[in-house]
Amino acid sequence: MSQPKPQTVMPEPAVGLDAVSKCYRRGDEVVHVLDHFSFTVAPGEFVALMAPSGSGKSTLLNLIGGLDQPDEGHIEVAGTDLGELGESARTRWRARNIGFIFQLYYLIPVLSAQRNVELPLLLQPMSRAERAKRVEAALTLTGLPHERHHFRPPELSGGQQQRVAIARAIVTDPPLLLCDEPTGDLDRQAGDEILGLLKTLNERLHKTIVMVTHDPHAATYAQKLVHLEKGLVGELRTG
Ligand SMILES: Nc1ncnc2c1ncn2[C@@H]1O[C@H](COP(=O)(O)OP(=O)(O)OP(=O)(O)O)[C@@H](O)[C@H]1O
Ligand SMILES: [Mg+2]
C-alpha cells in the first residue's frame, strides 16, 4: 500500500507568531486572551503546549490555522504571511497546509470512515480512483483495521474514531498538524496509541506538530514542551 509522500522541506519557521494579540468582547467586557504573544516552531518539530484552562490554547491553534485573525501582530505559517491572505485565499491555503485534529473528532456520523476521510479531497480536482487510493493509504497508515474502513463513526471506538480523524487530517498531505487535546476523551491505552501514531507521523512523514494538552504524560511524546503557567498573556517569547 502506498503511503502519502513526505512534503518537501517547509520554509523556516514552520510557525512564527510575533507579538500577537487577540481579545474577545463579551458585552461591555473585553477579554485579552493573547497579549503580545510570540512563539516559534521549527519545521519538523513536535511541540506540546501546556497552559491553564481558558488561557487561549484553542484560540492560538485557530490563529495558526487561519481560522481566526489576530487584532495585532504578525503570523507566518509554512512560509506564508497569513495577514496578506484574504478570506478565500486563506481557505485554499488552509486546505493545503493544515490538518486539524480535535478532542471530539468531529466526524460526520452518517458517513463511513472512508467517506469522512475523502471529504477534504473533494475540494481538489482529482479522479475518483485517485481519491480512493489516497483514502485507503491514509486510513491504513493510521492503523484502523481494514474491515472497519467502511464502518460509520458510531460503530467505532473513540480511539478508532480518532484514527479516522487523523486520516482525514493527513489525506491532503499538509505539512503542519494542529492537535487540540487529541487524547482528552480517550483512556490511557487508546491515548498512548494515538500519541504513538502522532509521533510516527512526525518522525516518518516529517509532519510538524503543535499539540495542545493538559496531560503531562501526553506531552512526553513531543520533542519539546512549552509550559505557560500564566497562560498566553504578556511578553512571552518561546522557541
Ligand atoms: N468566540 C469567543 N467569544 C468570546 N470569548 C471567547 C471566544 N472563544 C474563546 N473565548 C474566551 O477566550 C478565553 C480563551 O479560550 P480558549 O478556548 O482559547 O482557551 P483554552 O486554553 O483552549 O481553554 P480549554 O483548556 O478549556 O480548552 C476563554 O476565556 C474563553 O471563554
Ligand atoms: Mg481549548
Side-chain angles (χ1 to χ4, degrees):
M1 179 65 61
S2 67
Q3 293 180 350
K5 284 197 298 290
Q7 284 227 342
T8 45
V9 178
M10 232 200 300
E12 293 259 10
V15 177
L17 272 75
D18 190 24
V20 167
S21 298
K22 176 77 186 171
C23 66
Y24 293 112
R25 281 172 191 81
R26 264 185 243 140
D28 290 341
E29 194 195 357
V30 179
V31 186
H32 292 274
V33 182
L34 275 75
D35 186 4
H36 293 89
F37 181 71
S38 297
F39 176 69
T40 327
V41 180
E45 266 188 331
F46 181 176
V47 178
L49 178 78
M50 296 181 78
S53 184
S55 65
K57 302 180 297 297
S58 297
T59 301
L60 175 71
L61 293 188
N62 289 343
L63 291 169
I64 295 172
L67 287 172
D68 203 352
Q69 288 171 288
D71 300 320
E72 275 181 68
H74 183 254
I75 303 181
E76 185 179 325
V77 181
T80 299
D81 178 348
L82 298 194
E84 290 184 352
L85 301 180
E87 184 86 31
S88 62
R90 237 181 328 129
T91 303
R92 286 194 303 276
W93 170 86
R94 191 186 311 119
R96 279 196 313 275
N97 289 283
I98 307 288
F100 280 104
I101 296 160
F102 302 99
Q103 178 175 353
L104 297 176
Y105 329 123
Y106 297 135
L107 299 170
I108 297 183
V110 296
L111 296 181
S112 69
Q114 287 162 324
R115 291 276 175 250
N116 270 280
V117 175
E118 185 184 30
L119 286 174
L121 295 179
L122 297 175
L123 300 170
Q124 301 182 2
M126 191 179 291
S127 70
R128 185 189 288 206
E130 178 65 20
R131 275 206 307 273
K133 199 175 102 190
R134 290 196 193 198
V135 167
E136 281 310 302
L139 277 169
T140 301
L141 193 64
T142 67
L144 185 73
H146 192 261
E147 70 279 4
R148 300 200 171 224
H149 289 195
H150 61 272
F151 280 34
R152 295 192 179 104
E155 299 163 337
L156 298 171
S157 69
Q160 289 168 344
Q161 290 185 60
Q162 192 60 300
R163 289 177 197 273
V164 177
I166 291 172
R168 179 185 56 187
I170 62 172
V171 75
T172 52
D173 199 20
L176 179 62
L177 301 181
L178 301 176
C179 312
D180 200 346
E181 301 274 8
T183 58
D185 218 43
L186 299 175
D187 64 26
R188 176 71 168 247
Q189 191 192 333
D192 276 336
E193 287 175 16
I194 292 300
L195 291 160
L197 173 57
L198 292 176
K199 199 169 156 74
T200 302
L201 294 175
N202 170 250
E203 289 173 355
R204 287 192 26 218
L205 296 187
H206 313 292
K207 300 295 177 199
T208 305
I209 301 180
V210 181
M211 175 177 75
V212 160
T213 180
H214 68 273
D215 176 6
H217 170 71
T220 62
Y221 281 79
Q223 294 154 352
K224 185 165 147 188
L225 171 62
V226 177
H227 198 158
L228 304 171
E229 282 174 27
K230 296 206 170 115
L232 292 77
V233 172
E235 293 279 351
L236 291 158
R237 189 164 285 273
T238 64

